[in-house]
Amino acid sequence: MDTAGLFDELPGDTSGEFAAACARASAALTQMRELAALADDCQADALLAQFDEASTVGREVDLVVARLGRGIERRSEDAPAGGLARRCGHRSTADLMAARRGSTRAEAFRLLGVGRLLEDAENAAAIDELDNGDTDTPNPHPDGAPNPDPDGAPNPDPDGAPNPDPDGDPDPDGGGDPDGDGEPDPDESTPNPTPNPTPPPPRHPYVAAALAAGDLSVEAASQITVMLDALDGVVDPQVLSDAEEVLVGKAHGLAADRLARIIRQWRARLDPDGHERELTRMRTSRMLRIYDNRAGMTVITGQLDPETAAPIRTALDALVGDDMRRSQDAIGADTRTTDQMRADALARLARHGLACTATDLPLASVTMVVRIDEASLRDRVGHADLDGSPIPLDPATLRRMAADADIIPAVLGTHGEVLDWGRARRLFTKAQRLALTERDGGCAFCGAPPAWTEVHHIRWWGRDTGPTDLANGILLCRHCHHTIHTQHWDIHATPTSVHFTPPATIDPTRTPRLGGRARFHAPRSHTPQPTHPTHPTQPTHPTEPAEPTEPAEPTKPPRPPDQ
């Protein structure tokens, strides 16, 4: 990429310096590409370190482009006849940036949003620096020599000779009246100094700081600021500030699509009235279209509101998860992709519905849970989470679904602990798997759906005499269970949280990493959650093989012993 040629329409006194800096950066990037071609010869740790370093450089370049884009936007908006963008043949700055970068307008809008944020942070910093600067009378001697006048008044004699008047006044009578008429001249009176303006609070300071430190991508910053700007004036500023701080912390190490889900959950809880209107809009926009294309394939397209989609997604995830477990038990026997498994699962559901006496679907352990905190249940306000829905549900929808026999209510305390279930059984039964789902939200290590997971003892039942309780149980998908077991991760779990401690070969500091619902979902309250345990339990062994949930009926075969 010819970085030095980007935005070469921009005038300015620093264009030569910027071109030189781009030339040096381009040379460094060329060297980086040459070294990247030798990546196969690197050790795994070195390869990952190089990837992280290159990603940091990429984020830095994005910030440069974003700031330049904001400069183009100012020259396009503030100038007559459309300014720079129209002079280059484009209707808007976003069109100009997308065309010159070969990207999309959506990406250009994200860059412009970050550019405005950077500009606001720069202006706030400049005013703050001015406000905190030295306001004393400057020394007129550029060489730093002391002012010869002992009272610090400026010396009117250009040759540097001392002022003969001991009080430093240039007039002979010492009264500040140069014309000698004995009356001070109004236009000669010393005006009161104008105080420096108070710097406005920087806009989205946590996002700006994370961008400047290279810890946040443009994509993540754009997602967070768009949500915050949309709620500006609707939600209390301090609540928005708390949300910004938590979201910036959660963004580190999360893919953009996972962060987008957390942001949707935050927005629903911060603006419940707006969320109810959005649910109504989605409900009226639901649709499903089925048609045959020219090749003879049946095409299914549509969009479903959360209430309609939740049971469909829950059932399909359960069937796909069962197929994935079976394929791992017999490597090579099932070569279907995940999308193919999902298509087959839809057909199985339809056949099951047409022959409702069939019992061959592995859905006995699948239950949709509506979870709501005690205060919201008592006051009949707030929102509830539903398995299979990426966003919370409003009270009206919850009341409609409450009569469904296939939905279990879960009432939660102020710290997220389970206070009451629709049913009760002993631990590691179906009910206790649901309790673990409340804490873990699915695979506690990677965030996979609950239907793709199995219950594991953290400390093995046989080898370690580990108890069968919530603090010793965890939901993991098979891939993550294998990873934790082979790499020797430690797990710290309580009834409300779970943390993973990496081995020294992955992290020499062995810093615990937050997992479970607290990591991959928005918190149910606005209080920021800790990112590592303050009082962890004793380090545990890697998990034992999965323990199947206990049969619902005593007539079924007993549970096999733990391995």
Side-chain angles (χ1 to χ4, degrees):
M1 180 181 66
D2 183 12
T3 311
L6 285 175
F7 309 116
D8 51 9
E9 298 287 344
L10 282 174
D13 296 335
T14 61
S15 57
E17 296 179 13
F18 187 81
C22 285
R24 293 191 298 270
S26 180
L29 290 172
T30 300
Q31 184 180 7
M32 290 172 62
R33 286 197 298 268
E34 294 172 351
L35 295 174
L38 306 176
D40 292 340
D41 299 330
C42 294
Q43 297 292 331
D45 292 344
L47 180 61
L48 291 175
Q50 291 174 6
F51 180 84
D52 292 340
E53 291 165 356
S55 298
T56 300
V57 172
R59 288 192 291 268
E60 293 285 350
V61 172
D62 285 342
L63 294 184
V64 174
V65 174
R67 190 61 185 89
L68 291 172
R70 173 55 180 161
I72 296 175
E73 184 178 45
R74 292 185 63 86
R75 293 172 185 269
S76 299
E77 292 179 344
D78 299 340
L84 182 57
R86 288 188 178 273
R87 181 163 61 85
C88 295
H90 300 282
R91 292 182 300 176
S92 67
T93 304
D95 289 333
L96 182 150
M97 294 175 63
R100 294 179 78 91
R101 283 174 54 84
S103 62
T104 63
R105 295 179 76 249
E107 181 187 5
F109 279 118
R110 287 192 290 268
L111 288 168
L112 285 173
V114 171
R116 298 184 198 106
L117 180 63
L118 295 174
E119 182 185 48
D120 291 342
E122 293 163 3
N123 292 338
I127 295 178
D128 185 57
E129 181 179 355
L130 179 63
D131 187 57
N132 296 328
D134 185 9
T135 57
D136 294 338
T137 304
N139 191 336
H141 296 274
D143 58 358
N147 195 324
D149 187 54
D151 63 359
N155 191 343
D157 192 348
D159 61 2
N163 193 326
D165 189 355
D167 63 1
D169 290 329
D171 60 303
D173 63 1
D177 182 18
D179 55 11
D181 60 1
E183 296 293 333
D185 295 337
D187 59 342
E188 295 168 357
S189 59
T190 303
N192 294 328
T194 302
N196 290 326
T198 301
R203 192 165 156 263
H204 310 320
Y206 297 106
V207 175
L211 282 170
D215 294 333
L216 197 65
S217 68
V218 168
E219 173 69 26
S222 176
Q223 290 186 29
I224 296 173
T225 55
V226 166
M227 187 272 282
L228 295 174
D229 291 341
L231 299 184
D232 187 26
V234 179
V235 179
D236 182 83
Q238 184 58 50
V239 174
L240 282 182
S241 178
D242 294 342
E244 178 189 355
E245 181 181 10
V246 174
L247 288 172
V248 168
K250 280 183 172 289
H252 183 68
L254 276 185
D257 54 346
R258 289 193 179 276
L259 178 63
R261 175 177 179 144
I262 294 175
I263 290 175
R264 288 197 300 268
Q265 294 170 344
W266 263 101
R267 181 167 183 170
R269 291 184 172 89
L270 294 176
D271 182 20
D273 293 338
H275 183 58
E276 289 187 19
R277 292 191 296 270
E278 180 65 13
L279 287 174
T280 301
R281 184 197 65 78
M282 289 191 287
R283 176 72 177 171
T284 58
S285 300
R286 72 192 186 281
M287 52 82 64
L288 187 70
R289 183 178 298 116
I290 303 178
Y291 62 93
D292 297 331
N293 63 17
R294 295 182 179 180
M297 297 286 287
T298 298
V299 180
I300 302 176
T301 62
Q303 58 182 21
L304 304 177
D305 62 289
E307 179 184 357
T308 305
I312 298 174
R313 173 172 284 180
T314 300
L316 290 178
D317 282 347
L319 296 177
V320 171
D322 180 71
D323 287 341
M324 293 174 68
R325 285 189 288 270
R326 292 176 185 273
S327 67
Q328 292 170 351
D329 291 336
I331 303 298
D334 191 344
T335 60
R336 294 177 298 169
T337 65
T338 304
D339 288 341
Q340 289 172 333
M341 290 180 180
R342 191 173 291 110
D344 294 342
L346 180 62
R348 292 172 68 187
L349 281 174
R351 288 193 296 267
H352 181 79
L354 293 174
C356 59
T357 59
T359 59
D360 58 342
L361 285 182
L363 295 174
S365 63
V366 178
T367 305
M368 283 197 301
V369 178
V370 175
R371 57 192 64 82
I372 188 170
D373 62 79
E374 185 183 28
S376 297
L377 180 64
R378 181 181 63 249
D379 300 334
R380 297 185 179 184
V381 296
H383 290 84
D385 291 330
L386 174 66
D387 285 346
S389 173
I391 59 177
L393 299 177
D394 64 301
T397 303
L398 177 60
R399 286 192 292 270
R400 282 199 307 270
M401 302 183 72
D404 195 325
D406 295 328
I407 295 178
I408 293 180
V411 182
L412 309 175
T414 56
H415 300 290
E417 71 276 14
V418 178
L419 298 181
D420 183 50
W421 279 101
R423 311 169 194 171
R425 290 181 181 168
R426 71 185 191 86
L427 298 177
F428 285 2
T429 62
K430 178 179 177 179
Q432 293 307 321
R433 176 188 170 93
L434 295 175
L436 288 172
T437 303
E438 296 315 301
R439 184 195 68 192
D440 298 345
C443 178
F445 196 73
C446 74
W452 294 11
T453 64
E454 296 171 334
V455 184
H456 298 269
H457 278 92
I458 297 174
R459 288 187 289 132
W460 291 24
W461 172 267
R463 188 189 69 183
D464 306 319
T465 64
T468 307
D469 55 27
L470 286 178
N472 196 43
I474 192 168
L475 292 182
L476 295 171
C477 68
R478 285 202 172 187
H479 172 78
C480 291
H481 175 247
H482 178 75
T483 299
I484 290 172
H485 182 73
T486 57
Q487 295 182 356
H488 305 291
W489 289 66
D490 288 336
I491 303 174
H492 307 277
T494 71
T496 58
S497 66
V498 58
H499 290 80
F500 298 91
T501 302
T505 55
I506 294 178
D507 180 5
T509 65
R510 304 206 67 199
T511 302
R513 303 180 184 182
L514 182 64
R517 187 178 295 278
R519 172 61 171 151
F520 299 106
H521 298 261
R524 293 187 175 93
S525 67
H526 300 151
T527 304
Q529 301 295 319
T531 57
H532 55 81
T534 54
H535 300 288
T537 58
Q538 199 67 15
T540 62
H541 299 286
T543 61
E544 70 167 337
E547 162 135 355
T549 54
E550 209 171 67
E553 300 296 335
T555 57
K556 294 185 179 181
R559 180 183 63 194
D562 296 328
Q563 301 178 15

